[in-house]
Amino acid sequence: MSDNPIQLLTEAASGEAERLTVLHAALVDRASAESAVDVTYRLVDSPVGSLLLAATELGVVRVAFEIEDHDRVLESLGSSVGSRILRGGDRLDPLARELDDYFTGRRQGFDVPLDLRLARGFRLTVLRHLSEIPYGSTESYGEVAVASGSPRAVRAVGSACATNPLPIVVPCHRVLRSDGSLGGYLGGLQTKERLLALEHAA
Amino acid sequence: MKRPFEQAVTEHGAVVLRVCRAVLGPIEADDAWSETFLSALRAWPDLPDDANVRAWLVTIAHRKAVDVARAGARHAVPVAAVPDTTAPRVDQPEEALPDGDLWTAVAALPEKQRLCVAYHHVAGLPHPEVARIVGGTPAAARRAAADGIARLRSTYATDGRVSTHV
């Protein structure tokens, strides 16, 4: 006797993947309209590798490099922001366009709304100052500490940069050691070099 | 559940769509799928981390399918002939599935058999789980699934597609 009916019932029907793509997109739209989503995200290609962009209703909440492991970043957003996370939607289209312009030298800053809920206290103060460092220039960790109101908190500035939830958009790559050497970077030192070179060349 | 909901859609979206098709037919399946995942998304944060996500989704899909079927019955207008639910709609040509015969045969099964075939064979849930969803005992669920498959073998196979396969 044939087992074919059973086998066929569990196989993908033709056109199923396309149908699911349509249904998924409709789900994201409906869920967003009903505010039933905590986070939507998309991936974009860039000269520094694939970037994960994630946003809440308030604004962009996370930008992550591939080296940070996008799956782990999403898991961690599930715990910190909320697990109703869906891929897609149009919330991140403006940032994707601005990043494209940034990497081609046509844009020096970002205008998208930000959700800074992943940074608190002194780290948040540091991030707010970082956004004031102009395109193409740099500051030392010590200078950032002074500007953030805690001149002795140089190491804390370092860890604020290392845990910046919005790299590139909040330009922690513009912070160097006082001797001019690179210091650290959550996206890897090559990425930091590349961003600084881009900004100096433009 | 702390895991991103997107994982549940990626891992179980296709199976839930097949279950909805088996239970409701291809046209109403889309609505049931959408209602299932929207409802699941809302409840996701409250689902325990060790829950069986597929069984949970199929349980929701079962309730949504009942709703969709009831709404269909409420809005039904008497017609001379029963419309062929597997006919492709012009605006959705991808529904012209080549294996539409099989889904027609599934749709023709008695309800209990159709549900047990859908939840056991299509969704892959064990019989006790199926019984929890459709009611009755696990043994009855097992028997209904077996009867359903036997019936599919006789109806669908004699259509000529697989009858020569031994």
Side-chain angles (χ1 to χ4, degrees):
Chain A
M1 202 182 261
S2 162
D3 267 339
N4 265 7
I6 294 177
Q7 204 185 328
L8 285 167
L9 285 171
T10 56
E11 276 175 4
S14 66
E16 185 177 278
E18 292 79 2
R19 197 81 219 121
L20 282 166
T21 305
V22 172
L23 287 169
H24 185 279
L27 172 68
V28 179
D29 287 348
R30 246 180 100 184
S32 304
E34 290 182 20
S35 298
V37 197
D38 298 313
V39 174
T40 55
Y41 70 95
R42 62 176 283 185
L43 301 176
V44 294
D45 285 326
S46 83
V48 293
S50 171
L51 295 173
L52 170 77
L53 315 179
T56 65
E57 271 190 324
L58 297 177
V60 181
V61 73
R62 189 77 165 87
V63 172
F65 295 104
E66 222 168 345
I67 196 177
E68 297 178 75
D69 188 340
H70 290 163
D71 285 340
R72 278 181 58 185
V73 170
L74 287 169
E75 298 272 350
S76 130
L77 285 173
S79 308
S80 57
V81 178
S83 58
R84 297 179 307 170
I85 298 177
L86 282 171
R87 181 173 182 162
D90 53 12
R91 218 181 252 169
L92 286 152
D93 292 356
L95 177 60
R97 275 195 299 274
E98 291 190 8
L99 281 167
D100 208 36
D101 288 347
Y102 170 79
F103 282 114
T104 50
R106 286 174 293 170
R107 168 174 280 278
Q108 305 200 334
F110 296 90
D111 295 330
V112 293
L114 304 180
D115 180 345
L116 288 164
R117 76 175 75 189
L118 295 176
R120 289 202 181 87
F122 182 65
R123 289 183 179 181
L124 182 58
T125 309
V126 170
L127 295 189
R128 290 198 196 284
H129 171 69
L130 293 183
S131 297
E132 293 163 8
I133 306 178
Y135 181 90
S137 61
T138 59
E139 280 186 13
S140 70
Y141 291 99
E143 285 169 326
V144 174
V146 170
S148 303
S150 304
R152 301 175 67 168
V154 180
R155 290 179 67 122
V157 168
S159 62
C161 290
T163 56
N164 177 8
L166 295 161
I168 304 178
V169 175
V170 173
C172 58
H173 58 277
R174 293 176 195 152
V175 185
L176 306 176
R177 287 210 181 117
S178 50
D179 64 3
S181 65
L182 281 175
Y185 194 58
L186 76 171
L189 287 183
Q190 269 192 328
T191 299
K192 189 171 190 172
E193 264 175 336
R194 190 144 189 179
L195 294 174
L196 290 170
L198 165 80
E199 296 190 4
H200 284 293
Chain B
M1 194 64 90
K2 295 277 199 304
R3 286 166 51 212
F5 184 72
E6 180 70 24
Q7 286 182 12
V9 187
T10 310
E11 285 169 28
H12 307 295
V15 163
V16 171
L17 183 58
R18 276 174 234 150
V19 166
C20 292
R21 282 194 166 143
V23 173
L24 288 168
I27 296 192
E28 287 176 320
D30 283 7
D31 279 347
W33 189 96
S34 300
E35 294 299 330
T36 298
F37 276 95
L38 192 61
S39 172
L41 173 67
R42 291 196 197 103
W44 182 249
D46 300 323
L47 185 69
D49 283 332
D50 59 353
N52 179 339
V53 175
R54 180 172 294 189
W56 180 68
L57 287 170
V58 171
T59 306
I60 297 174
H62 173 74
R63 288 202 299 266
K64 295 298 172 189
V66 170
D67 290 349
V68 169
R70 267 194 207 132
R74 216 173 20 249
H75 299 134
V77 180
V79 286
V82 177
D84 179 2
T85 51
T86 58
R89 282 193 288 188
V90 275
D91 58 326
Q92 287 170 336
E94 60 273 32
E95 285 183 359
L97 304 175
D99 48 1
D101 289 353
L102 175 65
W103 299 105
T104 308
V106 172
L109 291 176
E111 187 184 20
K112 182 83 179 264
Q113 290 180 17
R114 195 172 72 247
L115 296 180
C116 291
V117 165
Y119 303 151
H120 178 68
H121 290 290
V122 182
L125 302 184
H127 296 294
E129 198 71 40
V130 175
R132 200 182 49 73
I133 296 172
V134 303
T137 65
R142 177 194 297 273
R143 200 162 51 243
D147 290 349
I149 290 297
R151 197 158 169 144
L152 281 181
R153 283 200 177 110
S154 63
T155 54
Y156 174 67
T158 50
D159 284 351
R161 283 272 307 265
V162 294
S163 56
T164 53
H165 185 93
V166 185

